[in-house]
Structure formats: C-alpha cells, structure tokens
Amino acid sequence: MIRSALPALLLASVLPVYAQSPAEVPLIERAKIFGNPSKTGAKLSPDGKWLSWIAPRDGVLNLWVAPTSDLTQARPLTDERKRPLRNSFWAPDSSAVLFIQDKGGDENFLLYGVNLASGKQTNYTPFDKTRASVLHISSKVKDRILVGINNRDPKWHDVYSLELATGKLTLVRQNDGYGGFIADDQLQLRIAEQPRADGGTRYFRISGAQVERTPLLEVGLDDAQTTTPWGFTADGATLYWTDARQRNTAALIAQDVASGKTRVVAEDARADISGAITDKRTGQVLAYSVDYLKQEYVPLNDALRADLAFLRQQTQGQFSIGSRTEADDKWVVQVDPVTAPASTWLYDRPTKQLTRLYVSRPELDGAPLVAMHPHEIKARDGLTLVSYLSLPKAVDPDGSGKAGQPVPLVLFVHGGPWARDSYGYHSYHQWLANRGYAVLSVNYRGSTGFGKNFISAADLQWGRKMHDDLIDAVQWAVRQGVTSADKVAIMGGSYGGYATLAGLTFTPTTFACGVDIVGPSNLFTLLQTIPPYWEAGKQQFYKRMGDPTTEAGRALLKERSPLNYAADIQRPLLIGQGANDPRVNVRESEQIVQAMAARKIPVTYVEFPDEGHGFARPVNNIAFAAVTENFLAKCLGGRAEPIGGAVKASTAQVKHGAEFAPGLAEAIR
C-alpha cells in the first residue's frame, strides 16, 4: 500500500489568518450557482431567421425559439416536465430543432425533433434500450441526416438515413464490428474505424457498399486517442485528420484523397490542436484552436483574422464561437469573464456589430466571483501538470492569484480520466471559493489535450503515478502558501470519485476528508459492467487500466481497487451516486459503503433514484451541494449555507450515515 507522500514536517497544523474576514464576503446562495440558468445553448438556424436556446419552462429546462429579428416573440417548443434538456441542434433545412434525451440518467439517448411550423414533436428513434447518435448533418443535403442506432446489437451502431419530414429510417450499413464511420457532405460513408486487439485502431476506405480490405491507416495504442479523421471538405477531395504520429502533440493534417499526400495545416508543441473553424461553403479550415493554459484561436486567412481581432478587442473575457449561419454572416459568441456570469452575443460579421442576447445567470451579476489562475506544476518525475487555482476573496481580494495566508483547500479532480480541466467559469470552484476554500484542479497524467506521451504516461497507473500527480500538486500548494497540509480535502466525480477513494485508502492520512461522486471502488467490477456500446474502446480500457482477462491484469486491478483497502480509511467520506448510472454501476458505491459499515467506519451515502452518471436535475445538484458544504464545513472549517429544505425538495435517499453529515439527519426528518 502507498503511504502518505507528504513529508512529516508538512503535517503540522497552520491555522488560516485572513486578510479580511470571510464574513465580509457575501455568501452566494447555492441555488444561484447550481439552479437553472435563465438561458443557455443559443443556436442560430442555418438560414439565420431563427434563434433557439434552452431555458426554464415551469422550472424545467426546455427548448425555446424566436425570430432572430425579434426575440420578444419567443415561444417554448418542448414541454419536458422532469428531466432537463441539455443540448440541441438545427435540422439542415431550418424546419425543425432536434435534441436527444434519456430517462433518469440511463444514457439510452433517443433522438427527437420539433417542427417549427406545426409544433409537432417526433421521436425519430422509438426503441427500447437503445442509444441513438447523430453521425453526420450536411448543409448540402437538406432533407435527411445520418444516425447510428444500436437496437439490433447493443455493442454496435447500425447506420441509418433519417428523413426528417416523415421520420422514415433507411438502413445504410449494418455494423459488423466498426467503432465508427466518417461520412462526406453527400452523406456517403467514406471511412470505417475498426478497433484492434492491442488497443489501436484501423481506418478503412469505403468504396460504394464495400469496406476496402487494406487499411488506409492504422495506429497503435499510443496514437489511438490523438490520431483520428475529422472530416471531408465539401467536395470530398480533402480529408482532415488530427495526427500525432512521428510527433507528440496532435497536428491538424490535410490529406489529398486521390493521391494520399498530406500537409500540415497546424501544430503546436504545447498541446493538441483541439478544434477548427471551417468555411461554410467549401469545408476548408479557416482557423484552428489550441487549448494549453487557455483556449486560443489562430486564423489562417485575413477575413477571419479581422473577425477574431475584433472579438478579442470588444469582449471582456475569453470568447468562444458557437453556431454560425450557412451564409456565415452571423455568429453566436459566448463570452466568459470568469469573475462575472457568462454572456451570449449575436455577432453580425458584415457590420462588425455585437448584440448581447442574454446573461446565463443574471442572478450572479455583482456576486463576489473569483478569478481562476492557470499554473504549470512539476510532477516528481518532471512532467508538467497544467492546473487551475481559485482563491477565496478573503485572502486574495484583488484577484492577484497570491494567497495572503494559507486557507483550507479542496483538490477537485476531473473525471475521465481521458478528459481535461480547462480555464473558465467553474461552478464548483466558485461555490467552494465562496465558502472559504482554495480550489485546485489538476490535469494529472492521462488527461487529454497535452499530447500522446502525457496520455501514455498514465497507462496502468491508476492509484499510482496518477495519484502521485495529485499529491505533488498538493505539496506545491503547501509550498506556495496556499494551504496547510492538514487542511486539504479531495473531491471529484467519476475518475475524480475514484481518486477520492484512492486518496482515502492508499494515502489515508493525506486528506482531511473526501467527497466521491459516482466513483468506482472496484476496477474489476467496473470493467465488468461498462455499457455494451463501449465495445469498440474496451481494449483501450484493458491496456490502459489493467486487463481483467489475464491473471496479471486481474492482480493489478485488485491492487488498485480502493474497495480492497476500505479498512484503512481513517477520514470522513461522503458519497453521492445516481441509481441508473450506466458507466459506474450503483454497486460501485454500495459495496464500499457496505465494507465500511461492516467495520463501523463512518461514511455518508446519498443516492438519487432518477439520476445516472452525475446529477442533471438542479434540485438534486442543489441537494447534494447542501450536504457537501455542511460536510466540508465540519471537516475544513469553512462556511456553509444551512441544508434547510434542499434535500427534501430533491429525490435524495440517504441510504447510510446521515448522522455523520452535519444537519443531514435533521433535514430528512
């Protein structure tokens, strides 16, 4: 077992002395942070005549639409009564708005559409135990789109052409073992992706109805997450890739389809190319984005260079470009100041005019939001860990990024683990900083966006070097005077939940307490219960985590599973779980709670019967936040808004240990 990596001299208590009293900083109500936004997700119709967005209707997030020229004519398109809608997109002919929705967090997403003229809502994929996906939407083919449906075989998505006006589904290709397909703008399948037994991937051309026998390209495990096709130009003559072969970070590559010749469009030694802005008519790349410490847009032509320069000059904060009309004359632009609520704007390109559409959370206007500070932290073996620190106003009133005195810290660990933390407004950072805590989010090894070597450095390192990175970041924070070593909590969801359990078992005296949200406790049972539609990526899981089909792999998974070390837990633990989670089965939380309860080790377990991998319904998010902030207040000494009626207003079921979370037993009586 790994013992605490913190030197003993760092374990002495250092009580915080504040530059100003925390009481002088207004407490932000948690409902203002975790409740419904007033508006979000604005999308322009392709013809530019309409604007859609997501906003509450009778307390539940629904789709709304209005003429772009007169937003006062807004009307709701949907009438969801329980589960919020979280995304939407337009039909290519601007006749309907489409969205996907599951039930209770089971992630069996079905595809729906609402006709703008009639208001009729259609379920395009009315199948049980099915997960639909959108494969391709083209501006060149207006009446149909390509979708993937796994109702025949849950492991593989067959490809269908969907006629939007009638809902007719026509089989394009039955999938006999391909992880995905790339289509061109004529909705012709052109590339098939096939998983390899070693965790790598083969890419094949599709000619007519036939998949060619010889791969167009194949990559091993190291390149599998950083080398992949993005899509074709409108004429189908050029295929864009991200490609990390013969390099570390993923470059943007253009390949001539006829000759096979490639050229580098963009690359950055710091980070992978993460996105592109393409010409609406030709599909050629006009600009690209790269996200190292912060996201940056890099233009490749003069017209877009002028637009990006204008937006940089006119916006206060980091901006991102959302939907664009087919004529490319209007853009939706999101602006994130971090220290103020995000706003969404309509940008008219010909006139260079910005018009504010809405502020997502106007109730946070004037609230004491704090800055986020990017840092490069060195791990013990020399890897650079891009990390983000937020400090409470009490010790950093001017937002300099320097703590006046040490304060308790919450190490907030992202999920994935093949994902990343990025710069920007972060609800948990703001909430926890307002309660008096420094908050640190670390892109530990395995996080994506920083090149293939950084991903591969995490292979077979769950609970080991990946955890060392988190410990190293805590040590950095102690050396910087941000916190003291005995006043650090660990918290996170999914892999972040695993990291919390690993922290309390493998390094049982390093953290003062932990909050685990939908985290796996047993890596072997986790891999046994992953969704069937993850079949294509299963070998990557095995090669990067541990192979349950081999004796050595099973031994490794057992060794890295916190469940097997539950007896070593010494610090308070709070667990939140969705009962319908298809990724991290509810048993992952239940079994560690049972193991701790059998040994009379305190643990509080809150389960939500209408949630899955995380909490989508605001009332449930607010409820768990209420329990968490009172739990952390006892552990770290920060502020907390009383639980009040938050838990009773939700579907939360406190399955164990209400007495260990301050105020919880009283709140559920």
Side-chain angles (χ1 to χ4, degrees):
M1 189 190 327
I2 300 178
R3 293 299 173 187
S4 173
L6 288 175
L9 65 91
L10 295 179
L11 294 177
S13 175
V14 181
L15 295 176
V17 180
Y18 295 98
Q20 65 181 101
S21 167
E24 296 175 12
V25 179
L27 192 79
I28 304 173
E29 297 172 32
R30 57 180 169 259
K32 292 182 177 180
I33 296 176
F34 297 110
N36 283 323
S38 63
K39 293 179 182 177
T40 189
K43 301 285 174 64
L44 282 161
S45 62
D47 63 12
K49 295 179 180 179
W50 299 91
L51 185 78
S52 66
W53 63 88
I54 294 171
R57 180 182 186 183
D58 298 327
V60 179
L61 291 178
N62 274 276
L63 271 175
W64 292 70
V65 69
T68 307
S69 59
D70 187 3
L71 299 187
T72 65
Q73 298 300 310
R75 56 187 168 93
L77 283 181
T78 58
D79 191 19
E80 293 290 321
R81 299 297 180 93
K82 188 172 183 180
R83 194 157 183 84
L85 297 185
R86 289 176 281 179
N87 207 346
S88 66
F89 46 98
W90 279 87
D93 64 357
S94 301
S95 66
V97 184
L98 313 180
F99 64 94
I100 59 172
Q101 180 73 310
D102 69 348
K103 295 178 181 177
D106 63 5
E107 297 190 16
N108 286 327
F109 292 106
L110 301 181
L111 176 64
Y112 300 83
V114 185
N115 182 273
L116 223 58
S118 68
K120 179 184 177 183
Q121 180 170 310
T122 301
N123 181 355
Y124 290 120
T125 55
F127 310 111
D128 293 331
K129 297 181 179 179
T130 295
R131 180 185 175 97
S133 62
V134 176
L135 179 63
H136 197 79
I137 298 176
S138 170
S139 63
K140 312 303 179 188
V141 181
K142 301 286 191 181
D143 61 340
R144 57 191 179 92
I145 64 175
L146 293 182
V147 298
I149 306 174
N150 68 337
N151 60 328
R152 179 188 59 86
D153 183 340
K155 294 180 179 180
W156 308 108
H157 283 74
D158 297 330
V159 180
Y160 287 85
S161 172
L162 169 63
E163 292 182 12
L164 294 169
T166 65
K168 180 182 178 183
L169 288 166
T170 302
L171 181 66
V172 174
R173 172 171 288 278
Q174 182 171 302
N175 187 350
D176 51 0
Y178 294 99
F181 299 92
I182 301 291
D184 62 21
D185 271 356
Q186 299 305 314
L187 301 188
Q188 298 297 312
L189 297 182
R190 299 282 297 276
I191 302 290
E193 171 191 328
Q194 185 183 63
R196 294 193 333 190
D198 64 353
T201 307
R202 297 185 184 93
Y203 295 98
F204 296 89
R205 293 181 194 268
I206 301 176
S207 299
Q210 299 300 315
V211 176
E212 294 183 359
R213 289 189 172 187
T214 303
L216 168 66
L217 180 148
E218 57 182 309
V219 295
L221 177 67
D222 285 352
D223 287 303
Q225 288 177 260
T226 48
T227 299
T228 185
W230 269 14
F232 290 89
T233 51
D235 60 9
T238 301
L239 174 61
Y240 287 110
W241 298 76
T242 50
D243 192 341
R245 294 172 301 161
Q246 288 81 53
R247 54 174 62 84
N248 176 31
T249 57
L252 179 58
I253 302 294
Q255 181 178 33
D256 180 77
V257 173
S259 68
K261 292 181 179 179
T262 62
R263 61 179 175 87
V264 176
V265 177
E267 59 183 327
D268 192 304
R270 303 169 302 163
D272 300 332
I273 303 303
S274 57
I277 300 174
T278 58
D279 187 295
K280 283 288 188 176
R281 182 177 57 85
T282 67
Q284 293 180 340
V285 172
L286 303 177
Y288 65 91
S289 58
V290 62
D291 187 353
Y292 183 58
L293 298 180
K294 298 181 180 180
Q295 179 176 270
E296 307 164 30
Y297 285 109
V298 182
L300 297 175
N301 78 353
D302 290 339
L304 213 63
R305 183 174 289 108
D307 290 312
L308 295 175
F310 174 82
L311 291 174
R312 275 192 292 269
Q313 182 183 39
Q314 296 297 317
T315 56
Q316 301 296 314
Q318 182 169 267
F319 72 86
S320 59
I321 298 167
S323 72
R324 300 149 59 205
T325 59
E326 194 172 313
D328 214 14
D329 57 343
K330 293 182 178 66
W331 296 353
V332 167
V333 177
Q334 290 85 29
V335 180
D336 181 7
V338 180
T339 54
S343 55
T344 298
W345 301 70
L346 183 64
Y347 173 50
D348 186 274
R349 291 187 74 196
T351 63
K352 293 286 192 292
Q353 285 189 329
L354 272 171
T355 303
R356 192 171 79 171
L357 297 172
Y358 56 79
V359 174
S360 284
R361 294 186 179 272
E363 60 271 24
L364 292 178
D365 268 327
L369 301 179
V370 300
M372 175 179 275
H373 304 280
H375 289 278
E376 296 174 295
I377 299 173
K378 287 294 182 182
R380 65 191 67 181
D381 62 359
L383 283 184
T384 299
L385 312 174
V386 171
S387 304
Y388 299 94
L389 176 68
S390 299
L391 294 169
K393 278 191 175 293
V395 296
D396 184 22
D398 60 357
S400 68
K402 300 293 183 183
Q405 291 86 27
V407 291
L409 180 141
V410 176
L411 179 67
F412 195 88
V413 186
H414 74 70
W418 303 290
R420 65 160 294 173
D421 282 308
S422 291
Y423 177 84
Y425 174 88
H426 191 301
S427 58
Y428 284 92
H429 273 240
Q430 295 292 350
W431 166 59
L432 292 168
N434 183 257
R435 284 2 183 203
Y437 310 119
V439 191
L440 182 62
S441 291
V442 181
N443 283 305
Y444 48 83
R445 70 194 63 209
S447 301
T448 53
F450 304 101
K452 66 184 182 186
N453 294 341
F454 197 74
I455 295 173
S456 295
D459 289 355
L460 307 181
Q461 294 300 322
W462 283 49
R464 292 298 181 264
K465 291 183 179 179
M466 296 167 77
H467 189 60
D468 290 345
D469 290 345
L470 301 176
I471 300 296
D472 292 347
V474 169
Q475 289 184 323
W476 171 88
V478 172
R479 291 194 302 270
Q480 295 295 313
V482 171
T483 192
S484 55
D486 64 338
K487 291 291 183 181
V488 180
I490 184 169
M491 175 178 178
S494 195
Y495 178 86
Y498 167 83
T500 297
L501 298 178
L504 268 59
T505 52
F506 301 150
T507 52
T509 60
T510 295
F511 298 100
C513 56
V515 181
D516 155 32
I517 304 170
V518 298
S521 63
N522 183 332
L523 300 186
F524 187 78
T525 54
L526 170 70
L527 291 175
Q528 281 183 322
T529 57
I530 60 173
Y533 44 79
W534 284 5
E535 180 69 21
K538 188 167 69 176
Q539 290 303 321
Q540 286 196 34
F541 281 99
Y542 290 1
K543 298 300 185 291
R544 296 200 188 275
M545 292 176 60
D547 190 341
T549 68
T550 69
E551 185 175 346
R554 288 191 292 272
L556 185 145
L557 293 169
K558 180 179 179 180
E559 179 193 32
R560 309 297 173 80
S561 294
L563 176 65
N564 298 318
Y565 304 91
D568 294 334
I569 295 176
Q570 301 178 30
R571 300 294 164 83
L573 175 62
L574 169 64
I575 297 177
Q577 177 70 49
N580 306 317
D581 192 338
R583 308 186 194 192
V584 177
N585 189 276
V586 66
R587 282 290 298 149
E588 294 300 317
S589 290
E590 290 174 343
Q591 59 193 350
I592 197 163
V593 170
Q594 290 166 1
M596 293 176 68
R599 295 170 173 84
K600 295 182 169 50
I601 302 171
V603 58
T604 301
Y605 177 43
V606 184
E607 187 179 299
F608 295 88
D610 56 348
E611 296 285 7
H613 196 61
F615 313 136
R617 299 187 65 212
V619 290
N620 293 336
N621 252 325
I622 292 168
F624 194 72
V627 177
T628 298
E629 64 179 296
N630 284 273
F631 173 83
L632 290 175
K634 180 181 178 181
C635 167
L636 296 180
R639 305 189 296 174
E641 182 183 349
I643 293 175
V647 173
K648 280 195 172 179
S650 75
T651 61
Q653 298 174 352
V654 182
K655 295 291 187 80
H656 184 83
E659 67 272 22
F660 304 126
L664 182 55
E666 295 80 6
I668 60 177
R669 284 178 187 156

